Amino acid sequence: QIQLVESGGGLVQAGDSLRLSCAASGRTRSPYFMGWFRQAPGKEREFVAAISGTGAGTYYADSVKGRFTISRDMAQNTVYLQMNSLKLEDTAVYYCASQSGVVRAASVPQSYPYWGQGTQVTVSS
């Protein structure tokens, strides 16, 4: 089992920055592929970014490419999402997720058996 706890969400203005953190605990001896997803009211959960177990590979949704950066601190078992130039449409609950074992499609929520509780990000004009 892996437990994930997100933090860092909040209310910001368009153009501002936020950094989300996701702390992993439990069965973390082998660093797994991890991702960030988001879900806005009335919408499907959508892929934001993912990072490989080693941190060497990163993947982004087109909507956030160039603005968001995913990274991980292996020693702290923590994954970060640096969000710059935030837009109104970035408003959503952001979820951290972890894969387990064999790497599966990074952008598919069903590839991730472990999820955090989510953190709200609200961008205002």
Side-chain angles (χ1 to χ4, degrees):
Q1 288 286 340
I2 297 173
Q3 293 78 43
L4 303 171
V5 178
E6 303 99 333
S7 61
L11 172 64
V12 296
Q13 291 189 319
D16 285 351
S17 298
L18 270 179
R19 189 177 80 157
L20 305 183
S21 299
C22 172
S25 61
R27 191 163 57 92
T28 59
R29 289 179 60 186
S30 298
Y32 295 120
F33 213 96
M34 295 188 68
W36 286 96
F37 291 76
R38 66 187 182 187
Q39 188 165 19
K43 295 189 175 182
E44 297 283 324
R45 188 167 298 191
E46 66 172 358
F47 170 73
V48 175
I51 188 166
S52 66
T54 63
T58 56
Y59 310 85
Y60 296 94
D62 288 342
S63 59
V64 306
K65 205 171 291 184
R67 299 188 298 123
F68 291 10
T69 303
I70 189 170
S71 62
R72 70 189 303 161
D73 183 328
M74 309 289 275
Q76 298 295 324
N77 290 322
T78 301
V79 174
Y80 302 99
L81 185 69
Q82 177 66 43
M83 306 185 294
N84 298 330
S85 302
L86 282 161
K87 303 177 180 180
L88 297 179
E89 52 264 41
D90 294 320
T91 295
V93 177
Y94 283 70
Y95 297 91
C96 173
S98 176
Q99 296 196 11
S100 175
V102 176
V103 175
R104 303 186 186 279
S107 62
V108 177
Q110 289 77 8
S111 297
Y112 299 80
Y114 302 106
W115 291 82
Q117 82 289 350
T119 185
Q120 177 71 46
V121 172
T122 303
V123 184
S124 65
S125 58

